[in-house]
């Protein structure tokens, strides 16, 4: 750690103590933010952490993107949730609106609506249940309805559909631009460069890319699989922020990115500087209209019950 980073980390520790704050970070954030965080995880892990925080915690600095901070705010009523950079959004979450979901419901009366956690609070409020990539198969398979509208990620929906053949998923056409930019040719080139390495992919990848994978799972499942696998070399087909955690936890194993360009610019907007400045000035609080939050929480809590 550089002297500047060490000073910022020390300042952050001091602010956290003084303000009774905690720092939650997604595994796609930059390494120095992950290292400074009190908890690092995927969407499901972060939701659970936000819901179960010690009562003494007054402020959550959420290092991730806007929909995640919204979820934390809804699961932690009474706490202030701060986003280090107010412009950190998720292009996939913005691909579907609450009005789009209402229109889908009108078109398919009787279908349940499941939304990926990568969606706005307004979309969650229109949904019957929320899912993450860790629990989507389990949650959707446990729904009573046979027809399930799934928004916004078509790739995750296609992957779930294959595992729950008794359901009929009606898919929205959203996608993650970062995961969709990874190409078959890049996986093949990585396999040639690292023969014997296992390809670990994320359900947000394209169907074609998932067809090349040795293992498919959420970021948390990828982390677990890499730790428990007897293999020692892996090609990783998700956002490259995860490599920091994989390498730190598995010093005897090698991890290669499918693409050096697999970087989500929004996830990189939380920096150590912006985390410190945000907590110091209590900047960029994220709030959700209570009427929307009440309905969105029903979908989130149903997920937590079913997963
Ligand atoms: S990696 Fe994709 S899904 Fe995740 S925040 Fe970035 S754009 Fe959204």
């Amino acid at each position: 750690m550089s002297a500047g980073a060490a000073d910022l980390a020390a300042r952050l520790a001091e602010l956290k103590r003084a303000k009774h704050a905690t720092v939650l970070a997604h595994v796609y954030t930059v390494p120095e933010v992950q290292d400074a965080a009190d908890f690092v995880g995927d969407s499901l892990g972060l939701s659970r952490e936000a819901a179960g925080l010690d009562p003494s915690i007054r402020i959550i600095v959420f290092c991730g993107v806007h929909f995640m901070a919204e979820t934390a705010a809804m699961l932690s009523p009474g706490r202030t949730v701060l986003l280090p950079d107010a412009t950190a959004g998720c292009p996939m979450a913005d691909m579907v609106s609450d009005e789009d979901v209402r229109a889908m419901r009108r078109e398919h009366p009787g279908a349940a609506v499941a939304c990926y956690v990568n969606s706005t609070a307004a979309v969650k409020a229109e949904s019957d249940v929320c899912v993450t990539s860790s629990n989507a198969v389990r949650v959707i398979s446990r729904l009573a309805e046979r027809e399930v509208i799934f928004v916004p990620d078509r790739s995750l929906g296609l992957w779930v559909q294959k595992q729950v053949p008794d359901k009929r998923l009606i898919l929205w056409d959203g996608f993650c631009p970062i995961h969709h930019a990874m190409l078959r040719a890049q996986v093949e080139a990585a396999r040639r460069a690292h023969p014997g390495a296992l390809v670990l992919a994320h359900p947000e990848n394209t169907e074609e890319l998932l067809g090349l994978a040795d293992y498919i799972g959420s970021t948390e499942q990828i982390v677990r699989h890499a730790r428990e696998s007897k293999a020692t070399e892996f090609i990783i087909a998700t956002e490259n922020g995860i490599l920091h955690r994989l390498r730190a936890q598995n010093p005897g194993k090698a991890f290669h990115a499918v693409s050096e360009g697999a970087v989500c610019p929004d996830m990189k907007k939380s920096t150590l500087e912006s985390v410190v400045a945000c907590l110091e000035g209590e900047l960029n609080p994220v709030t959700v209209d209570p009427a929307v939050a009440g309905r969105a929480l029903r979908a989130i809590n149903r997920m937590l019950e079913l997963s």
Side-chain angles (χ1 to χ4, degrees):
M1 192 184 275
S2 68
D7 287 349
L8 284 167
R11 177 72 186 131
L12 181 60
E14 196 181 296
L15 284 167
K16 283 195 309 187
R17 266 193 310 276
K19 291 178 180 264
H20 302 282
T22 192
V23 177
L24 307 185
H26 193 273
V27 288
Y28 293 164
T29 54
V30 296
E32 58 269 30
V33 165
Q34 293 188 40
D35 291 343
D38 297 292
F39 180 84
V40 181
D42 67 356
S43 295
L44 181 59
L46 290 163
S47 299
R48 289 209 162 112
E49 186 67 16
L53 282 172
D54 188 274
S56 65
I57 299 293
R58 194 176 67 80
I59 297 177
I60 299 171
V61 182
F62 201 104
C63 306
V65 295
H66 192 265
F67 76 80
M68 296 177 175
E70 275 188 335
T71 307
M74 293 188 285
L75 287 169
S76 270
R79 292 196 174 94
T80 301
V81 177
L82 307 174
L83 192 60
D85 186 312
T87 68
C90 168
M92 182 210 284
D94 294 337
M95 288 177 188
V96 69
S97 70
D98 50 340
E99 179 44 39
D100 293 328
V101 177
R102 285 192 292 272
M104 293 273 274
R105 265 202 203 274
R106 285 194 296 273
E107 242 179 86
H108 304 280
V113 176
C115 67
Y116 190 21
V117 70
N118 295 32
S119 57
T120 62
V123 163
K124 290 185 178 81
E126 295 296 333
S127 303
D128 299 305
V129 69
C130 182
V131 305
T132 70
S133 46
S134 292
N135 63 26
V137 170
R138 180 190 293 251
V139 170
I140 289 176
S141 69
R142 290 179 171 181
L143 293 175
E145 295 85 349
R146 197 183 90 80
E147 284 201 325
V148 182
I149 295 165
F150 185 71
V151 299
D153 188 12
R154 184 177 172 79
S155 296
L156 174 60
L158 285 170
W159 180 72
V160 171
Q161 176 68 85
K162 286 188 184 146
Q163 294 167 82
V164 288
D166 53 322
K167 301 284 183 197
R168 188 174 89 84
L169 267 66
I170 301 157
L171 304 177
W172 190 253
D173 212 8
F175 64 95
C176 166
I178 316 307
H179 285 84
H180 270 224
M182 294 177 215
L183 305 173
R184 163 186 278 270
Q186 290 172 319
V187 174
E188 289 169 349
R191 275 206 195 274
R192 281 195 299 279
H194 310 289
L198 297 183
V199 175
L200 311 187
H202 190 279
E204 288 175 23
N205 290 121
T206 61
E207 204 178 8
E208 183 187 38
L209 197 133
L210 294 181
L212 304 172
D214 297 298
Y215 176 80
I216 301 166
S218 68
T219 50
E220 218 42 63
Q221 289 163 340
I222 287 175
V223 166
R224 192 182 325 130
H225 188 80
R227 189 173 57 236
E228 292 173 357
S229 171
K230 288 198 168 47
T232 56
E233 197 169 14
F234 303 89
I235 295 162
I236 303 298
T238 187
E239 209 276 351
N240 289 348
I242 198 174
L243 294 167
H244 177 64
R245 188 145 173 237
L246 289 169
R247 288 172 179 149
Q249 289 186 355
N250 304 280
K253 299 184 178 184
F255 297 92
H256 313 285
V258 159
S259 158
E260 291 307 321
V263 172
C264 175
D266 285 279
M267 283 289 185
K268 308 306 176 198
K269 287 179 177 173
S270 294
T271 60
L272 213 41
E273 286 85 352
S274 66
V275 170
V276 169
C278 156
L279 183 52
E280 202 152 37
E282 300 192 21
L283 308 176
N284 313 327
V286 174
T287 56
V288 180
D289 177 318
V292 171
R295 290 162 56 227
L297 265 178
R298 281 208 303 264
I300 295 169
N301 286 332
R302 190 142 182 241
M303 166 184 82
L304 295 174
E305 282 159 27
L306 290 174
S307 56

